[in-house]
């Protein structure tokens, strides 16, 4: 068993080194900062434009503040409304900007109901280390923020709200 664990560790180590070499090749970076952690949005940015990723996360070049009509700002407002509704902070879905939000009212009501009886959470951070073990924010390698997470006796569902046109390769990365 110890030999298998060492082989697995070596394989993971080799995979991480290969990723570092690929990052250096694609971005001109020698390595990522030691305190760097991955998220889905960081991965998407890296895949879409490695140089933008480098400017933002390695060189830490400041970005101009977004305008209020920016799609990301609209998405943030919509997520806040959905969070407030599913956590019971508001009684109605008011002021929603998403065109199809009403179509999901039944599902949102079910999420809200499960959260109210302790069978779910909203806007929860999940931290994993490089071995995929739960960890603290200080030791995080992968950081996930779930819009909602609900469960019953036989199943669980992680919810990721989409409030606009998605540029993510969601199916490809979900696999």
């Amino acid at each position: 068993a110890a030999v298998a664990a060492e082989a697995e560790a070596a394989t993971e180590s080799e995979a991480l080194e290969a990723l570092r070499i690929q990052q250096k090749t694609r971005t001109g970076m020698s390595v990522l900062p030691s305190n760097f952690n991955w998220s889905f949005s960081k991965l998407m940015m890296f895949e879409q434009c490695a140089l933008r990723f480098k400017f933002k996360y390695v060189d830490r070049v400041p970005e101009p503040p977004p305008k209020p009509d920016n799609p990301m700002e609209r998405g943030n407002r919509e997520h806040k409304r959905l969070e407030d509704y599913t956590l019971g902070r508001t009684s109605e879905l008011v002021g929603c900007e998403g065109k199809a939000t009403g179509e999901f009212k039944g599902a949102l009501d079910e999420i809200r109901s499960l959260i109210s009886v302790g069978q779910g959470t909203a806007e929860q951070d999940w931290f994993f280390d490089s071995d995929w073990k739960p960890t603290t924010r200080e030791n995080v390698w992968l950081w996930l923020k779930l819009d909602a997470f609900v469960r019953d006796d036989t199943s669980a569902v992680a919810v990721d709200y989409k409030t606009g046109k998605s540029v993510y390769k969601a199916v490809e990365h979900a696999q």
Side-chain angles (χ1 to χ4, degrees):
V3 173
E6 285 179 27
E8 185 177 319
T11 304
E12 285 182 26
S13 196
E14 290 167 2
L16 286 172
E17 184 58 29
L19 179 59
R20 286 188 183 101
I21 291 167
Q22 180 186 21
Q23 290 167 344
K24 182 176 182 180
T25 303
R26 290 181 68 184
T27 65
M29 297 182 273
S30 57
V31 292
L32 290 170
S34 61
N35 62 346
F36 182 79
N37 59 71
W38 285 101
S39 69
F40 188 73
S41 58
K42 288 177 185 175
L43 175 62
M44 293 298 94
M45 181 184 290
F46 179 78
E47 288 188 348
Q48 289 170 359
C49 182
L51 186 58
R52 180 177 176 217
F53 175 91
K54 179 182 182 294
F55 286 158
K56 181 168 184 160
Y57 295 109
V58 177
D59 300 338
R60 299 179 190 237
V61 174
E63 294 186 70
K67 296 179 179 173
D69 62 345
N70 176 294
M72 177 147 327
E73 290 302 304
R74 185 188 66 78
N76 288 340
R77 289 190 303 270
E78 190 71 2
H79 271 75
K80 179 68 172 136
R81 287 183 186 101
L82 294 170
E83 174 187 350
D84 287 346
Y85 180 73
T86 56
L87 288 175
R89 295 180 192 143
T90 58
S91 59
E92 294 296 322
L93 279 170
V94 292
C96 290
E97 301 173 61
K99 295 175 185 169
T101 303
E103 296 176 31
F104 296 97
K105 178 130 180 4
L108 292 167
D109 287 343
E110 183 64 21
I111 291 168
R112 180 181 168 120
S113 174
L114 288 168
I115 288 173
S116 74
V117 296
Q119 289 185 281
T121 61
E123 296 299 318
Q124 186 178 43
D125 292 314
W126 287 16
F127 304 123
F128 296 93
D129 65 19
S130 60
D131 294 320
W132 290 95
K133 293 187 172 103
T135 189
T136 63
R137 186 170 186 334
E138 294 75 31
N139 299 312
V140 68
W141 176 75
L142 176 67
W143 181 351
L144 302 171
K145 185 167 197 99
L146 302 179
D147 291 326
F149 177 78
V150 293
R151 66 192 181 294
D152 62 19
D153 294 335
T154 60
S155 60
V157 176
V159 179
D160 182 30
Y161 303 135
K162 293 296 174 201
T163 58
K165 183 166 61 170
S166 176
V167 297
Y168 299 129
K169 302 173 199 170
V171 172
E172 179 183 325
H173 287 94
Q175 296 173 355

